[in-house]
Amino acid sequence: MTFDPGLQGWKLHRTADNPGFTGLIGPLWARQAPDGLWKYAFQAQPQHLNAIGIVHGGMLMSFADHALG
């Protein structure tokens, strides 16, 4: 069974239409929690992995930069 973030209240964050770097690392997801804080997520896909099949550190840092920015 495939997890669908859209069915869990996540909205696709504007990255696919971004011609810059952010558009390359997506798709990224966002949703506002009941406490008003925004939450960000991504589903690891093959393009996010390093040569040994683990999420690349550069992807994690880019995601953190995006979420904290």
Side-chain angles (χ1 to χ4, degrees):
M1 180 174 183
T2 303
F3 177 74
D4 183 349
L7 295 177
Q8 302 298 319
W10 292 91
K11 304 243 185 270
L12 195 57
H13 197 54
R14 304 182 292 116
T15 55
D17 60 347
N18 185 329
F21 180 73
T22 309
L24 298 174
I25 65 168
L28 301 180
W29 298 85
R31 74 175 173 184
Q32 194 168 19
D35 61 7
L37 295 176
W38 282 93
K39 309 290 182 176
Y40 296 93
F42 75 96
Q43 281 185 284
Q45 298 177 356
Q47 69 267 24
H48 301 127
L49 307 180
N50 62 21
I52 60 172
I54 298 171
V55 176
H56 193 282
M59 175 58 197
L60 295 174
M61 294 307 296
S62 296
F63 175 69
D65 178 62
H66 181 79
L68 297 172

